[in-house]
Amino acid sequence: GRMPPGRARGGARGAGRGARARCGAQRVRVEAQKPLGLVLEERARGGIFVGEVAAEGACAGEVQVGDELVLTSGVVYTKTEDYGGVQVRKGAEKVMMPTRGETFDTVMAAIGSHPGHETVVLEFLRPDPVPDVEADVEFGWGVGAAASGGESAP
């Protein structure tokens, strides 16, 4: 029941890369005005991750270091009008853009495209801490095996 809406749509495309991290991961959605108080970093193996969260920043308490940015809003202008030789962008629309497959610069430009009064919508993937999960599984199996072994022993 934890599958976010719309994940099945187009899920096959990104199923290979990063699919392992999705298992047991939770989605975190944040809406905040700039400055966001986040340092985003691109990792060598791909993906954009939170490197720092400012304690007093707009995302403090909601976003954690290590969260992967998977979706950001961006403001696009659907038309321009000419006022005496001056091009004025009109028809601003907020669109949601998946970050996978986009360059770091494109993602940062999308975040930067919001006027100051406009909230930025960010969606992160937070993997469960891997060592804990593995330790729990191993521990669980160990206890189960020992207990059943103990019961069946004469």
Side-chain angles (χ1 to χ4, degrees), residues 37-143:
L38 293 178
V39 174
L40 297 173
E41 300 173 341
E42 189 169 25
R43 291 203 182 157
R45 63 176 170 81
I48 296 172
F49 294 81
V50 177
E52 287 177 41
V53 182
E56 304 295 315
C59 296
E62 296 189 73
V63 180
Q64 294 177 10
V65 170
D67 289 354
E68 180 183 3
L69 179 65
V70 289
L71 206 61
T72 178
S73 56
V75 175
V76 295
Y77 295 87
T78 53
K79 57 184 187 287
T80 57
E81 288 179 19
D82 189 280
Y83 290 95
V86 178
Q87 294 289 315
V88 178
R89 297 187 301 177
K90 309 267 303 209
E93 277 181 32
K94 192 187 281 188
V95 297
M96 295 304 293
M97 183 185 85
T99 61
R100 290 202 173 154
E102 298 291 346
T103 67
F104 187 76
D105 289 347
T106 299
V107 173
M108 296 311 283
I111 295 171
S113 69
H114 298 74
H117 61 274
E118 187 76 54
T119 57
V120 183
V121 181
L122 300 170
E123 204 163 294
F124 296 92
L125 208 56
R126 176 172 303 158
D128 287 342
V130 176
D132 294 0
V133 172
E134 283 176 359
D136 286 348
V137 169
E138 285 166 20
F139 182 68
W141 279 111
V143 167

